[in-house]
Every structure is written in structure tokens, then in C-alpha cells.
mmCIF file of all heavy atoms in Angstrom:
data_model
loop_
_atom_site.group_PDB
_atom_site.id
_atom_site.type_symbol
_atom_site.label_atom_id
_atom_site.label_comp_id
_atom_site.label_asym_id
_atom_site.label_seq_id
_atom_site.Cartn_x
_atom_site.Cartn_y
_atom_site.Cartn_z
ATOM 1 N N ASN B 23 187.549 23.713 -20.361
ATOM 2 C CA ASN B 23 186.635 22.587 -20.564
ATOM 3 C C ASN B 23 186.956 21.795 -21.834
ATOM 4 O O ASN B 23 186.066 21.344 -22.549
ATOM 5 C CB ASN B 23 185.189 23.075 -20.622
ATOM 6 C CG ASN B 23 184.764 23.783 -19.359
ATOM 7 O OD1 ASN B 23 185.269 23.494 -18.274
ATOM 8 N ND2 ASN B 23 183.836 24.721 -19.490
ATOM 9 N N GLY B 24 188.253 21.653 -22.101
ATOM 10 C CA GLY B 24 188.687 20.863 -23.248
ATOM 11 C C GLY B 24 188.642 21.584 -24.579
ATOM 12 O O GLY B 24 189.049 21.020 -25.602
ATOM 13 N N ILE B 25 188.155 22.818 -24.599
ATOM 14 C CA ILE B 25 188.084 23.596 -25.834
ATOM 15 C C ILE B 25 189.268 24.541 -25.891
ATOM 16 O O ILE B 25 189.630 25.163 -24.886
ATOM 17 C CB ILE B 25 186.757 24.369 -25.921
ATOM 18 C CG1 ILE B 25 185.598 23.383 -25.949
ATOM 19 C CG2 ILE B 25 186.715 25.270 -27.154
ATOM 20 C CD1 ILE B 25 184.233 24.035 -25.880
ATOM 21 N N LYS B 26 189.883 24.669 -27.080
ATOM 22 C CA LYS B 26 191.096 25.458 -27.201
ATOM 23 C C LYS B 26 190.990 26.452 -28.359
ATOM 24 O O LYS B 26 190.341 26.200 -29.364
ATOM 25 C CB LYS B 26 192.308 24.545 -27.458
ATOM 26 C CG LYS B 26 192.584 23.558 -26.345
ATOM 27 C CD LYS B 26 193.774 22.675 -26.681
ATOM 28 C CE LYS B 26 194.052 21.679 -25.558
ATOM 29 N NZ LYS B 26 195.213 20.809 -25.881
ATOM 30 N N LYS B 27 191.648 27.589 -28.178
ATOM 31 C CA LYS B 27 191.851 28.568 -29.243
ATOM 32 C C LYS B 27 193.286 29.045 -29.144
ATOM 33 O O LYS B 27 193.748 29.420 -28.066
ATOM 34 C CB LYS B 27 190.872 29.730 -29.115
ATOM 35 C CG LYS B 27 190.900 30.695 -30.313
ATOM 36 C CD LYS B 27 191.935 31.795 -30.160
ATOM 37 C CE LYS B 27 192.002 32.659 -31.424
ATOM 38 N NZ LYS B 27 193.077 33.679 -31.327
ATOM 39 N N ILE B 28 194.019 29.031 -30.240
ATOM 40 C CA ILE B 28 195.455 29.319 -30.208
ATOM 41 C C ILE B 28 195.747 30.664 -30.870
ATOM 42 O O ILE B 28 195.281 30.947 -31.977
ATOM 43 C CB ILE B 28 196.253 28.210 -30.922
ATOM 44 C CG1 ILE B 28 196.054 26.877 -30.188
ATOM 45 C CG2 ILE B 28 197.730 28.573 -30.991
ATOM 46 C CD1 ILE B 28 196.688 25.695 -30.885
ATOM 47 N N THR B 29 196.516 31.475 -30.170
ATOM 48 C CA THR B 29 197.070 32.715 -30.707
ATOM 49 C C THR B 29 198.583 32.592 -30.706
ATOM 50 O O THR B 29 199.171 32.094 -29.745
ATOM 51 C CB THR B 29 196.647 33.921 -29.853
ATOM 52 O OG1 THR B 29 195.264 34.190 -30.075
ATOM 53 C CG2 THR B 29 197.452 35.165 -30.207
ATOM 54 N N GLU B 30 199.208 33.057 -31.777
ATOM 55 C CA GLU B 30 200.671 33.092 -31.843
ATOM 56 C C GLU B 30 201.136 34.529 -31.997
ATOM 57 O O GLU B 30 200.558 35.306 -32.758
ATOM 58 C CB GLU B 30 201.200 32.284 -33.031
ATOM 59 C CG GLU B 30 201.365 30.810 -32.762
ATOM 60 C CD GLU B 30 202.167 30.114 -33.850
ATOM 61 O OE1 GLU B 30 202.667 30.803 -34.776
ATOM 62 O OE2 GLU B 30 202.282 28.887 -33.794
ATOM 63 N N MET B 31 202.187 34.869 -31.271
ATOM 64 C CA MET B 31 202.867 36.136 -31.429
ATOM 65 C C MET B 31 204.291 35.836 -31.891
ATOM 66 O O MET B 31 205.053 35.173 -31.184
ATOM 67 C CB MET B 31 202.884 36.913 -30.112
ATOM 68 C CG MET B 31 201.529 37.424 -29.688
ATOM 69 S SD MET B 31 201.001 38.789 -30.747
ATOM 70 C CE MET B 31 199.283 38.929 -30.250
ATOM 71 N N ASN B 32 204.632 36.302 -33.083
ATOM 72 C CA ASN B 32 205.922 36.001 -33.700
ATOM 73 C C ASN B 32 206.774 37.262 -33.763
ATOM 74 O O ASN B 32 206.363 38.273 -34.350
ATOM 75 C CB ASN B 32 205.717 35.426 -35.097
ATOM 76 C CG ASN B 32 204.962 34.107 -35.059
ATOM 77 O OD1 ASN B 32 205.422 33.151 -34.444
ATOM 78 N ND2 ASN B 32 203.807 34.049 -35.685
ATOM 79 N N TYR B 33 207.958 37.186 -33.143
ATOM 80 C CA TYR B 33 208.818 38.356 -33.033
ATOM 81 C C TYR B 33 209.509 38.656 -34.355
ATOM 82 O O TYR B 33 210.137 37.791 -34.965
ATOM 83 C CB TYR B 33 209.857 38.146 -31.939
ATOM 84 C CG TYR B 33 210.768 39.332 -31.740
ATOM 85 C CD1 TYR B 33 210.251 40.563 -31.347
ATOM 86 C CD2 TYR B 33 212.141 39.214 -31.946
ATOM 87 C CE1 TYR B 33 211.078 41.658 -31.155
ATOM 88 C CE2 TYR B 33 212.984 40.300 -31.752
ATOM 89 C CZ TYR B 33 212.442 41.520 -31.367
ATOM 90 O OH TYR B 33 213.259 42.593 -31.187
ATOM 91 N N ASP B 34 209.387 39.900 -34.799
ATOM 92 C CA ASP B 34 210.033 40.388 -36.009
ATOM 93 C C ASP B 34 211.175 41.317 -35.605
ATOM 94 O O ASP B 34 210.936 42.404 -35.065
ATOM 95 C CB ASP B 34 209.020 41.132 -36.884
ATOM 96 C CG ASP B 34 209.655 41.754 -38.108
ATOM 97 O OD1 ASP B 34 210.237 40.999 -38.916
ATOM 98 O OD2 ASP B 34 209.583 42.998 -38.254
ATOM 99 N N THR B 35 212.409 40.890 -35.845
ATOM 100 C CA THR B 35 213.551 41.663 -35.379
ATOM 101 C C THR B 35 213.661 43.015 -36.080
ATOM 102 O O THR B 35 214.104 43.998 -35.477
ATOM 103 C CB THR B 35 214.854 40.875 -35.570
ATOM 104 O OG1 THR B 35 214.962 40.477 -36.947
ATOM 105 C CG2 THR B 35 214.873 39.631 -34.694
ATOM 106 N N ALA B 36 213.260 43.084 -37.348
ATOM 107 C CA ALA B 36 213.398 44.334 -38.097
ATOM 108 C C ALA B 36 212.558 45.452 -37.485
ATOM 109 O O ALA B 36 213.003 46.601 -37.382
ATOM 110 C CB ALA B 36 213.008 44.113 -39.558
ATOM 111 N N SER B 37 211.344 45.125 -37.067
ATOM 112 C CA SER B 37 210.450 46.141 -36.490
ATOM 113 C C SER B 37 210.474 46.149 -34.968
ATOM 114 O O SER B 37 209.900 47.047 -34.352
ATOM 115 C CB SER B 37 209.012 45.902 -36.962
ATOM 116 O OG SER B 37 208.526 44.652 -36.495
ATOM 117 N N ASP B 38 211.123 45.142 -34.370
ATOM 118 C CA ASP B 38 211.134 44.968 -32.910
ATOM 119 C C ASP B 38 209.701 44.898 -32.374
ATOM 120 O O ASP B 38 209.364 45.490 -31.359
ATOM 121 C CB ASP B 38 211.908 46.108 -32.237
ATOM 122 C CG ASP B 38 212.123 45.896 -30.743
ATOM 123 O OD1 ASP B 38 212.171 44.723 -30.318
ATOM 124 O OD2 ASP B 38 212.202 46.899 -30.002
ATOM 125 N N ARG B 39 208.870 44.127 -33.074
ATOM 126 C CA ARG B 39 207.461 43.988 -32.694
ATOM 127 C C ARG B 39 207.038 42.530 -32.827
ATOM 128 O O ARG B 39 207.635 41.757 -33.585
ATOM 129 C CB ARG B 39 206.560 44.864 -33.580
ATOM 130 C CG ARG B 39 206.880 46.346 -33.498
ATOM 131 C CD ARG B 39 206.035 47.156 -34.458
ATOM 132 N NE ARG B 39 204.642 47.200 -34.041
ATOM 133 C CZ ARG B 39 204.144 48.107 -33.202
ATOM 134 N NH1 ARG B 39 204.922 49.046 -32.692
ATOM 135 N NH2 ARG B 39 202.868 48.087 -32.859
ATOM 136 N N TYR B 40 205.976 42.176 -32.095
ATOM 137 C CA TYR B 40 205.378 40.851 -32.209
ATOM 138 C C TYR B 40 204.200 40.908 -33.173
ATOM 139 O O TYR B 40 203.279 41.718 -32.999
ATOM 140 C CB TYR B 40 204.916 40.348 -30.843
ATOM 141 C CG TYR B 40 206.026 39.753 -30.020
ATOM 142 C CD1 TYR B 40 206.753 40.544 -29.135
ATOM 143 C CD2 TYR B 40 206.364 38.410 -30.139
ATOM 144 C CE1 TYR B 40 207.777 40.010 -28.376
ATOM 145 C CE2 TYR B 40 207.384 37.865 -29.386
ATOM 146 C CZ TYR B 40 208.098 38.668 -28.504
ATOM 147 O OH TYR B 40 209.119 38.119 -27.768
ATOM 148 N N ILE B 41 204.225 40.047 -34.179
ATOM 149 C CA ILE B 41 203.163 39.991 -35.179
ATOM 150 C C ILE B 41 202.126 38.957 -34.745
ATOM 151 O O ILE B 41 202.454 37.830 -34.382
ATOM 152 C CB ILE B 41 203.730 39.662 -36.567
ATOM 153 C CG1 ILE B 41 204.664 40.797 -37.014
ATOM 154 C CG2 ILE B 41 202.608 39.452 -37.581
ATOM 155 C CD1 ILE B 41 205.406 40.518 -38.304
ATOM 156 N N PHE B 42 200.873 39.362 -34.797
ATOM 157 C CA PHE B 42 199.724 38.588 -34.325
ATOM 158 C C PHE B 42 199.285 37.602 -35.408
ATOM 159 O O PHE B 42 198.952 37.996 -36.520
ATOM 160 C CB PHE B 42 198.617 39.585 -34.005
ATOM 161 C CG PHE B 42 197.350 39.026 -33.409
ATOM 162 C CD1 PHE B 42 197.241 37.735 -32.938
ATOM 163 C CD2 PHE B 42 196.235 39.852 -33.304
ATOM 164 C CE1 PHE B 42 196.067 37.258 -32.386
ATOM 165 C CE2 PHE B 42 195.053 39.402 -32.755
ATOM 166 C CZ PHE B 42 194.963 38.097 -32.298
ATOM 167 N N SER B 43 199.291 36.304 -35.063
ATOM 168 C CA SER B 43 198.814 35.265 -35.977
ATOM 169 C C SER B 43 197.791 34.391 -35.277
ATOM 170 O O SER B 43 197.916 34.100 -34.079
ATOM 171 C CB SER B 43 199.974 34.394 -36.470
ATOM 172 O OG SER B 43 200.855 35.130 -37.278
ATOM 173 N N GLN B 44 196.763 33.993 -36.016
ATOM 174 C CA GLN B 44 195.753 33.061 -35.508
ATOM 175 C C GLN B 44 195.044 32.439 -36.701
ATOM 176 O O GLN B 44 195.131 32.940 -37.819
ATOM 177 C CB GLN B 44 194.759 33.780 -34.590
ATOM 178 C CG GLN B 44 194.020 34.918 -35.256
ATOM 179 C CD GLN B 44 193.077 35.662 -34.331
ATOM 180 O OE1 GLN B 44 192.781 35.217 -33.225
ATOM 181 N NE2 GLN B 44 192.568 36.799 -34.772
ATOM 182 N N TYR B 45 194.339 31.336 -36.440
ATOM 183 C CA TYR B 45 193.629 30.629 -37.504
ATOM 184 C C TYR B 45 194.562 30.279 -38.668
ATOM 185 O O TYR B 45 194.142 30.232 -39.830
ATOM 186 C CB TYR B 45 192.439 31.447 -38.013
ATOM 187 C CG TYR B 45 191.541 31.945 -36.920
ATOM 188 C CD1 TYR B 45 191.368 33.312 -36.704
ATOM 189 C CD2 TYR B 45 190.876 31.067 -36.061
ATOM 190 C CE1 TYR B 45 190.551 33.796 -35.694
ATOM 191 C CE2 TYR B 45 190.054 31.538 -35.041
ATOM 192 C CZ TYR B 45 189.906 32.904 -34.861
ATOM 193 O OH TYR B 45 189.091 33.377 -33.859
ATOM 194 N N GLY B 46 195.838 30.068 -38.346
ATOM 195 C CA GLY B 46 196.801 29.652 -39.353
ATOM 196 C C GLY B 46 197.279 30.741 -40.277
ATOM 197 O O GLY B 46 197.882 30.450 -41.325
ATOM 198 N N LYS B 47 197.057 32.020 -39.908
ATOM 199 C CA LYS B 47 197.506 33.087 -40.795
ATOM 200 C C LYS B 47 197.862 34.335 -39.996
ATOM 201 O O LYS B 47 197.411 34.533 -38.861
ATOM 202 C CB LYS B 47 196.435 33.421 -41.833
ATOM 203 C CG LYS B 47 195.102 33.851 -41.251
ATOM 204 C CD LYS B 47 194.044 34.016 -42.349
ATOM 205 C CE LYS B 47 192.685 34.373 -41.763
ATOM 206 N NZ LYS B 47 191.647 34.469 -42.806
ATOM 207 N N GLU B 48 198.650 35.184 -40.625
ATOM 208 C CA GLU B 48 199.062 36.458 -40.039
ATOM 209 C C GLU B 48 197.928 37.461 -40.150
ATOM 210 O O GLU B 48 197.291 37.580 -41.190
ATOM 211 C CB GLU B 48 200.287 36.956 -40.814
ATOM 212 C CG GLU B 48 200.999 38.137 -40.262
ATOM 213 C CD GLU B 48 202.228 38.461 -41.087
ATOM 214 O OE1 GLU B 48 203.292 37.837 -40.847
ATOM 215 O OE2 GLU B 48 202.124 39.320 -41.990
ATOM 216 N N MET B 49 197.674 38.189 -39.069
ATOM 217 C CA MET B 49 196.601 39.167 -39.074
ATOM 218 C C MET B 49 197.049 40.449 -39.786
ATOM 219 O O MET B 49 198.191 40.866 -39.686
ATOM 220 C CB MET B 49 196.170 39.508 -37.650
ATOM 221 C CG MET B 49 195.551 38.347 -36.877
ATOM 222 S SD MET B 49 193.950 37.810 -37.566
ATOM 223 C CE MET B 49 194.471 36.405 -38.607
ATOM 224 N N LYS B 50 196.125 41.077 -40.500
ATOM 225 C CA LYS B 50 196.372 42.342 -41.188
ATOM 226 C C LYS B 50 195.376 43.388 -40.703
ATOM 227 O O LYS B 50 194.271 43.071 -40.259
ATOM 228 C CB LYS B 50 196.208 42.174 -42.705
ATOM 229 C CG LYS B 50 197.160 41.186 -43.345
ATOM 230 C CD LYS B 50 198.540 41.777 -43.507
ATOM 231 C CE LYS B 50 199.449 40.828 -44.304
ATOM 232 N NZ LYS B 50 200.809 41.379 -44.478
ATOM 233 N N ASP B 51 195.792 44.642 -40.796
ATOM 234 C CA ASP B 51 194.899 45.759 -40.522
ATOM 235 C C ASP B 51 194.580 46.417 -41.856
ATOM 236 O O ASP B 51 195.479 46.936 -42.528
ATOM 237 C CB ASP B 51 195.568 46.752 -39.577
ATOM 238 C CG ASP B 51 194.614 47.829 -39.058
ATOM 239 O OD1 ASP B 51 193.782 48.305 -39.857
ATOM 240 O OD2 ASP B 51 194.707 48.203 -37.880
ATOM 241 N N GLU B 52 193.306 46.391 -42.243
ATOM 242 C CA GLU B 52 192.922 46.937 -43.542
ATOM 243 C C GLU B 52 193.165 48.436 -43.654
ATOM 244 O O GLU B 52 193.290 48.962 -44.758
ATOM 245 C CB GLU B 52 191.447 46.635 -43.848
ATOM 246 C CG GLU B 52 191.224 45.308 -44.529
ATOM 247 C CD GLU B 52 189.842 45.198 -45.156
ATOM 248 O OE1 GLU B 52 188.961 46.020 -44.831
ATOM 249 O OE2 GLU B 52 189.652 44.291 -45.978
ATOM 250 N N ASN B 53 193.226 49.134 -42.527
ATOM 251 C CA ASN B 53 193.449 50.578 -42.597
ATOM 252 C C ASN B 53 194.803 50.929 -43.195
ATOM 253 O O ASN B 53 194.922 51.868 -43.984
ATOM 254 C CB ASN B 53 193.333 51.223 -41.213
ATOM 255 C CG ASN B 53 191.897 51.427 -40.778
ATOM 256 O OD1 ASN B 53 190.959 51.105 -41.499
ATOM 257 N ND2 ASN B 53 191.715 51.968 -39.581
ATOM 258 N N ASP B 54 195.846 50.199 -42.779
ATOM 259 C CA ASP B 54 197.187 50.532 -43.268
ATOM 260 C C ASP B 54 197.821 49.423 -44.096
ATOM 261 O O ASP B 54 198.916 49.609 -44.655
ATOM 262 C CB ASP B 54 198.115 50.917 -42.109
ATOM 263 C CG ASP B 54 198.240 49.841 -41.042
ATOM 264 O OD1 ASP B 54 197.959 48.663 -41.324
ATOM 265 O OD2 ASP B 54 198.643 50.187 -39.905
ATOM 266 N N GLY B 55 197.163 48.265 -44.173
ATOM 267 C CA GLY B 55 197.693 47.156 -44.957
ATOM 268 C C GLY B 55 198.835 46.412 -44.300
ATOM 269 O O GLY B 55 199.404 45.493 -44.888
ATOM 270 N N ASN B 56 199.180 46.795 -43.076
ATOM 271 C CA ASN B 56 200.322 46.190 -42.391
ATOM 272 C C ASN B 56 199.895 45.047 -41.479
ATOM 273 O O ASN B 56 198.732 44.965 -41.073
ATOM 274 C CB ASN B 56 201.041 47.250 -41.550
ATOM 275 C CG ASN B 56 201.709 48.298 -42.407
ATOM 276 O OD1 ASN B 56 202.223 48.002 -43.477
ATOM 277 N ND2 ASN B 56 201.699 49.538 -41.945
ATOM 278 N N PRO B 57 200.840 44.170 -41.129
ATOM 279 C CA PRO B 57 200.527 43.149 -40.128
ATOM 280 C C PRO B 57 200.122 43.789 -38.808
ATOM 281 O O PRO B 57 200.651 44.840 -38.435
ATOM 282 C CB PRO B 57 201.848 42.382 -39.971
ATOM 283 C CG PRO B 57 202.621 42.659 -41.218
ATOM 284 C CD PRO B 57 202.223 44.045 -41.636
ATOM 285 N N VAL B 58 199.196 43.165 -38.097
ATOM 286 C CA VAL B 58 198.842 43.622 -36.754
ATOM 287 C C VAL B 58 199.984 43.219 -35.827
ATOM 288 O O VAL B 58 200.356 42.048 -35.752
ATOM 289 C CB VAL B 58 197.515 42.999 -36.291
ATOM 290 C CG1 VAL B 58 197.224 43.364 -34.839
ATOM 291 C CG2 VAL B 58 196.376 43.457 -37.197
ATOM 292 N N SER B 59 200.556 44.208 -35.133
ATOM 293 C CA SER B 59 201.745 43.918 -34.336
ATOM 294 C C SER B 59 201.797 44.802 -33.097
ATOM 295 O O SER B 59 201.150 45.856 -33.034
ATOM 296 C CB SER B 59 203.013 44.120 -35.172
ATOM 297 O OG SER B 59 203.137 45.473 -35.584
ATOM 298 N N PHE B 60 202.600 44.359 -32.120
ATOM 299 C CA PHE B 60 202.671 45.005 -30.815
ATOM 300 C C PHE B 60 204.103 44.986 -30.303
ATOM 301 O O PHE B 60 204.844 44.027 -30.542
ATOM 302 C CB PHE B 60 201.774 44.286 -29.804
ATOM 303 C CG PHE B 60 200.348 44.156 -30.243
ATOM 304 C CD1 PHE B 60 199.929 43.047 -30.978
ATOM 305 C CD2 PHE B 60 199.418 45.137 -29.942
ATOM 306 C CE1 PHE B 60 198.603 42.921 -31.393
ATOM 307 C CE2 PHE B 60 198.104 45.028 -30.365
ATOM 308 C CZ PHE B 60 197.692 43.917 -31.088
ATOM 309 N N LYS B 61 204.487 46.024 -29.547
ATOM 310 C CA LYS B 61 205.800 46.045 -28.913
ATOM 311 C C LYS B 61 205.854 45.104 -27.717
ATOM 312 O O LYS B 61 206.890 44.491 -27.431
ATOM 313 C CB LYS B 61 206.123 47.467 -28.426
ATOM 314 C CG LYS B 61 206.615 48.395 -29.505
ATOM 315 C CD LYS B 61 208.057 48.115 -29.902
ATOM 316 C CE LYS B 61 208.563 49.163 -30.878
ATOM 317 N NZ LYS B 61 209.957 48.913 -31.283
ATOM 318 N N ASN B 62 204.728 45.022 -26.986
ATOM 319 C CA ASN B 62 204.684 44.271 -25.734
ATOM 320 C C ASN B 62 203.607 43.200 -25.798
ATOM 321 O O ASN B 62 202.525 43.443 -26.338
ATOM 322 C CB ASN B 62 204.371 45.209 -24.569
ATOM 323 C CG ASN B 62 205.313 46.387 -24.482
ATOM 324 O OD1 ASN B 62 206.448 46.254 -24.036
ATOM 325 N ND2 ASN B 62 204.855 47.571 -24.928
ATOM 326 N N VAL B 63 203.893 42.050 -25.212
ATOM 327 C CA VAL B 63 202.919 40.967 -25.099
ATOM 328 C C VAL B 63 202.812 40.584 -23.626
ATOM 329 O O VAL B 63 203.822 40.284 -22.981
ATOM 330 C CB VAL B 63 203.327 39.738 -25.924
ATOM 331 C CG1 VAL B 63 202.401 38.560 -25.644
ATOM 332 C CG2 VAL B 63 203.327 40.076 -27.415
ATOM 333 N N ILE B 64 201.590 40.630 -23.099
ATOM 334 C CA ILE B 64 201.327 40.253 -21.709
ATOM 335 C C ILE B 64 200.261 39.173 -21.692
ATOM 336 O O ILE B 64 199.282 39.245 -22.449
ATOM 337 C CB ILE B 64 200.861 41.469 -20.884
ATOM 338 C CG1 ILE B 64 202.023 42.447 -20.676
ATOM 339 C CG2 ILE B 64 200.285 41.045 -19.533
ATOM 340 C CD1 ILE B 64 201.646 43.734 -19.968
ATOM 341 N N VAL B 65 200.439 38.179 -20.846
ATOM 342 C CA VAL B 65 199.428 37.142 -20.631
ATOM 343 C C VAL B 65 198.976 37.211 -19.178
ATOM 344 O O VAL B 65 199.810 37.169 -18.263
ATOM 345 C CB VAL B 65 199.962 35.734 -20.945
ATOM 346 C CG1 VAL B 65 198.869 34.687 -20.711
ATOM 347 C CG2 VAL B 65 200.471 35.662 -22.383
ATOM 348 N N ILE B 66 197.681 37.363 -18.967
ATOM 349 C CA ILE B 66 197.051 37.271 -17.657
ATOM 350 C C ILE B 66 196.378 35.908 -17.559
ATOM 351 O O ILE B 66 195.529 35.575 -18.391
ATOM 352 C CB ILE B 66 195.994 38.380 -17.477
ATOM 353 C CG1 ILE B 66 196.658 39.757 -17.327
ATOM 354 C CG2 ILE B 66 195.092 38.090 -16.282
ATOM 355 C CD1 ILE B 66 195.672 40.916 -17.327
ATOM 356 N N LEU B 67 196.757 35.116 -16.568
ATOM 357 C CA LEU B 67 196.093 33.841 -16.310
ATOM 358 C C LEU B 67 195.128 34.043 -15.150
ATOM 359 O O LEU B 67 195.539 34.430 -14.054
ATOM 360 C CB LEU B 67 197.118 32.758 -15.990
ATOM 361 C CG LEU B 67 198.109 32.434 -17.112
ATOM 362 C CD1 LEU B 67 199.186 31.470 -16.631
ATOM 363 C CD2 LEU B 67 197.386 31.862 -18.334
ATOM 364 N N ALA B 68 193.840 33.803 -15.402
ATOM 365 C CA ALA B 68 192.812 34.100 -14.400
ATOM 366 C C ALA B 68 191.812 32.957 -14.308
ATOM 367 O O ALA B 68 191.444 32.359 -15.326
ATOM 368 C CB ALA B 68 192.078 35.390 -14.763
ATOM 369 N N PRO B 69 191.337 32.636 -13.091
ATOM 370 C CA PRO B 69 190.299 31.607 -12.943
ATOM 371 C C PRO B 69 189.083 31.975 -13.798
ATOM 372 O O PRO B 69 188.620 33.124 -13.775
ATOM 373 C CB PRO B 69 189.968 31.658 -11.448
ATOM 374 C CG PRO B 69 191.146 32.303 -10.808
ATOM 375 C CD PRO B 69 191.699 33.267 -11.810
#
């Protein structure tokens, strides 16, 4: 309905992981102090 929210996943070759970014910044996990990252990224497009 014309409203948008953007997520970026940026591939880091050193860790072989995608780093989660949104709201113009890289996400962090306060538990370990590291960037929030994932090995796999899947997008489901659903009505």
C-alpha cells in the first residue's frame, strides 16, 4: 500500500555470512558484541 521498509543483507567474505543492516546501520547483538549475521538468506513472497 505504498509503504516501504528496507532490509539489507551484506555479504562478508571473511566470515562467509550475510550481515543484517536496516535503518541505515549495521545490526549488533548485545550478547556477543558482534554484527547480526546469517549463513543463508531466504525471501518468501506471499500475498
Side-chain angles (χ1 to χ4, degrees):
N23 300 331
I25 298 174
K26 298 179 180 180
K27 188 272 175 184
I28 298 174
T29 288
E30 275 192 4
M31 291 288 168
N32 297 300
Y33 181 62
D34 176 59
T35 55
S37 63
D38 188 28
R39 300 176 70 88
Y40 278 92
I41 296 174
F42 184 12
S43 293
Q44 59 182 348
Y45 310 118
K47 58 186 177 183
E48 189 177 276
M49 295 293 97
K50 299 283 187 180
D51 190 320
E52 272 196 345
N53 281 359
D54 57 21
N56 293 324
V58 174
S59 63
F60 305 90
K61 280 285 186 180
N62 306 283
V63 172
I64 290 175
V65 180
I66 289 172
L67 298 173

